[in-house]
Amino acid sequence: MRSITMRPHASSARGIAVTLRADARARRLRRGLTVAACALVAVMLGVVQLFLTGDAEITPGSVLPAAFGGGDGLADYVVRRTNLPRGLVAILGGALFGISGALAQRLFGNPLATPDVIGISSGAGAGAMIVIAGLGATGLGVQGGAMLGALVVSLLVYGLSWRGGVHSYTLILIGIGVGACASAIITFVVTRLDEASTQRAMRWLIGSLNGADAHDVALLACTLLVGAAFVLWLRRGLSDLALGDELAAGLGVHVPVVRFAALLLATMLAAIVTSVTGPIAFVALVAGPIATRMLRVPDAPLAAGVVGAVLLCATDIAAQTMPLVSPVPTGAITALFGAPVLIALLVRRKATV
């Protein structure tokens, strides 16, 4: 009799386990399809970039052949050498902004702790401007200066925020202050440049995808591959850190190593993409929260990268085609739409305190 009475309970437990596994598979499938749909949208927006030929007299039927090297003359220059690199930089750069922002938000547990808010992007800009003005460098020199400036600012902000631990609001306030200092350095350096260099510098500092080339595409593609690999390596440790440092350490996580590695990775991703596109604001800020709402999970840095690619592609198209204001630097459009999002996040955080 005893074995007979236990069977229904065992069968019920097995049924619950099967249901839970099925629900988990269904959630994973929905999330995968959502991310795939966002990636498809990013690719479609990249294709749209190819057809933005401005005043150039290029027929729509010659655009795609030109993108694959089948064009000549004007079509080859506008489509393959200008629009194609610009579209790819928008996709890759947006993905890097999204991943770096989501990493910083997860690391510090605050949606406001992104590279553009806590001064890392300003540090990259200051480093790039110093190299341009002091050494007359271009290309790799500017990118090296941007990475060094971002690294110095991130370590400075993290060090000044440390009080037996890092509190997110302290870090944000210190980051804003250090970022303001970096912006002051940028302003000073720009005043020492000649007129032609000043115009180029100001356009870069606002954030623009003009002048993107194959070298930029290769650099961002390699950075994205390496960055995604490190994100997957850090994913478990970052998830455990959300439980608290002591519990994470009890689960076998090397907390200082994971924190430093995540900070370094977020800094380098933001610095490299900033060295190519300039400090385009707010993409890193909004990509993570959007991905979290879409997938209903607290930790989705790679999904945030896909969302960031969509955002930067869409805003770059708007910067080229929006009535009354185009053409303008892409950073002007991201700031126009991103500033209200920042205000909303500030108000929401204040309401929950």
Side-chain angles (χ1 to χ4, degrees):
M1 291 295 295
R2 185 176 181 181
S3 61
I4 295 175
T5 58
M6 289 294 291
R7 288 175 182 171
H9 297 287
S11 177
S12 177
R14 284 194 297 270
I16 293 173
V18 170
T19 302
L20 291 175
R21 285 195 294 268
D23 289 342
R25 286 194 297 268
R27 286 194 298 270
R28 288 194 295 268
L29 178 61
R30 285 195 298 268
R31 291 167 187 166
L33 291 176
T34 301
V35 173
C38 287
L40 180 60
V41 171
V43 172
M44 292 174 64
L45 289 172
V47 173
V48 171
Q49 287 268 26
L50 298 177
F51 290 86
L52 301 180
T53 57
D55 296 329
E57 296 181 359
I58 301 174
T59 61
S62 62
V63 170
L64 291 180
F68 291 98
D72 53 12
L74 182 62
D76 179 76
Y77 174 78
V78 172
V79 177
R80 191 169 68 88
R81 300 182 184 273
T82 303
N83 289 356
L84 180 59
R86 180 168 186 154
L88 291 175
V89 166
I91 293 174
L92 298 170
L96 289 171
F97 275 126
I99 293 173
S100 66
L103 277 176
Q105 288 166 338
R106 167 54 57 187
L107 180 61
F108 300 112
N110 194 312
L112 300 176
T114 55
D116 45 353
V117 175
I118 63 176
I120 293 176
S121 295
S122 297
M129 288 297 102
I130 290 172
V131 169
I132 291 173
L135 303 177
T138 58
L140 291 175
V142 175
Q143 291 159 2
M147 286 186 282
L148 182 60
L151 182 60
V152 169
V153 167
S154 64
L155 294 178
L156 183 61
V157 171
Y158 193 80
L160 292 175
S161 305
W162 184 267
R163 295 291 185 275
V166 175
H167 299 285
S168 61
Y169 272 103
T170 302
L171 177 131
I172 291 169
L173 292 174
I174 291 176
I176 291 173
V178 174
C181 294
S183 298
I185 294 173
I186 292 171
T187 301
F188 174 78
V189 172
V190 168
T191 61
R192 315 301 295 178
L193 298 175
D194 58 70
E195 184 177 353
S197 298
T198 299
Q199 292 179 353
R200 291 195 301 270
M202 292 304 297
R203 194 169 187 85
W204 181 83
L205 288 171
I206 295 173
S208 175
L209 303 186
N210 286 340
D213 56 24
H215 171 267
D216 297 329
V217 174
L219 174 65
L220 295 184
C222 293
T223 303
L224 182 59
L225 289 175
V226 174
F230 275 101
V231 167
L232 293 175
W233 176 61
L234 291 170
R235 186 172 183 178
R236 177 182 173 273
L238 288 173
S239 298
D240 291 341
L241 282 180
L243 303 174
D245 288 1
E246 293 184 0
L247 184 55
L251 294 173
V253 176
H254 297 286
V255 174
V257 174
V258 171
R259 282 195 177 278
F260 182 77
L263 176 64
L264 183 63
L265 179 59
T267 299
M268 288 297 98
L269 294 183
I272 291 173
V273 66
T274 299
S275 72
V276 172
T277 66
I280 295 178
F282 297 110
V283 175
L285 177 72
V286 303
I290 291 175
T292 296
R293 286 183 174 273
M294 287 173 49
L295 301 183
R296 298 179 182 178
V297 293
D299 184 16
L302 296 183
V306 177
V307 173
V310 173
L311 291 175
L312 189 53
C313 282
T315 52
D316 187 49
I317 291 173
Q320 298 177 73
T321 61
M322 184 178 290
L324 303 179
V325 298
S326 64
V328 294
T330 309
I333 301 299
T334 60
L336 178 65
F337 291 106
V341 176
L342 176 60
I343 294 172
L345 287 173
L346 285 169
V347 171
R348 182 180 178 187
R349 295 291 296 185
K350 182 179 179 181
T352 57
V353 173

